[in-house]
């Protein structure tokens, strides 16, 4: 059920980013600032919560997806880096965050976060992975011209491969989780 809700939440977050920047006409910089402010406010509440609160977790994840969409769109459309360069830059950023998490704490966490020490890394990785997922979806759909159905097919194929790898290899479960985190969205 986690992955179904995650797919829905990150897709809504991606659309929310587009609503802020395009539909409401806020532009990418202001929309990113608004989305980041909402994310930080929700994250503040999440980090101060004495226990796990599911609805709060999903709101923070939704807002991280909105921030991710705005980061991706800003790199592509405001900075004019393009889909490919933006996707590669965000891939590097995501890998650096995961490597720092691994180096500092000795293991990559996944969801739900069980240790408070992992939570800051988790949310940094969520922002980066959501940005990467948004950029990757744009790359597949727009740049490669595969459209919505092609993007969905690619993401489903990657998720199926990750599931097989999860059960048949010794590849880090944390690495597989974060790989699935990137592509578990409808690439709009």
């Amino acid at each position: 059920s986690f992955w179904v809700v995650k797919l829905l939440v990150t897709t809504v977050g991606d659309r929310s980013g587009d609503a802020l920047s395009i539909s409401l006409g806020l532009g990418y910089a202001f929309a990113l600032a608004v989305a980041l402010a909402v994310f930080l406010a929700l994250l503040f509440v999440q980090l101060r919560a004495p226990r796990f609160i599911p609805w709060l977790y999903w709101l923070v994840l939704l807002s991280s997806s909105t921030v991710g969409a705005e980061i991706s769109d800003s790199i592509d459309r405001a900075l004019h880096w393009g889909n490919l360069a933006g996707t590669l830059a965000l891939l590097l950023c995501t890998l650096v965050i995961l490597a720092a998490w691994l180096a500092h704490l000795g293991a990559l966490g996944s969801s739900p976060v069980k240790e408070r020490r992992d939570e800051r890394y988790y949310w940094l990785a969520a922002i980066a992975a959501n940005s990467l997922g948004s950029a990757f979806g744009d790359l597949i759909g727009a740049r490669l011209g595969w459209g919505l159905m092609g993007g969905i097919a690619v993401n489903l194929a990657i998720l199926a491969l990750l599931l097989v790898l999860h059960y048949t290899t010794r590849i880090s479960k944390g690495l597989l989780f974060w790989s699935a985190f990137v592509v578990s969205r409808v690439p709009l």
Side-chain angles (χ1 to χ4, degrees), residues 131-152:
S131 300
L132 176 57
S134 184
F136 182 66
D138 289 346
L139 176 67
I140 293 168
R143 170 110 176 174
L144 299 179
W146 293 358
L148 176 62
M149 297 312 289
I152 290 171

Side-chain angles (χ1 to χ4, degrees), residues 34-163:
V34 169
L36 191 57
V38 170
F39 168 75
L40 290 173
L42 289 168
L43 182 61
F44 179 81
V45 174
Q46 168 78 15
L47 293 175
R48 300 286 184 266
R51 61 180 170 72
F52 179 72
I53 303 169
W55 63 265
L56 180 57
Y57 168 84
W58 290 111
L59 276 178
V60 178
L61 191 62
L62 172 70
S63 67
S64 77
S65 183
T66 304
V67 171
E70 288 309 311
I71 290 171
S72 170
D73 288 347
S74 293
I75 289 171
D76 177 33
R77 298 174 192 146
L79 297 177
H80 304 291
W81 285 19
N83 293 121
L84 181 59
T87 300
L88 293 174
L90 291 166
L91 173 61
L92 179 62
C93 181
T94 303
L95 291 174
V96 166
I97 290 168
L98 294 176
W101 188 353
L102 183 61
H104 185 246
L105 298 177
L108 293 178
S110 58
S111 189
V113 178
K114 294 184 174 87
E115 301 287 332
R116 283 284 186 195
R117 65 191 179 106
D118 288 322
E119 197 152 10
R120 286 173 185 83
Y121 281 107
Y122 179 88
W123 292 112
L124 277 174
I127 291 276
N130 280 325
S131 300
L132 176 57
S134 184
F136 182 66
D138 289 346
L139 176 67
I140 293 168
R143 170 110 176 174
L144 299 179
W146 293 358
L148 176 62
M149 297 312 289
I152 290 171
V154 168
N155 282 14
L156 287 176
I158 293 170
L159 286 170
L161 174 63
L162 293 171
L163 184 63

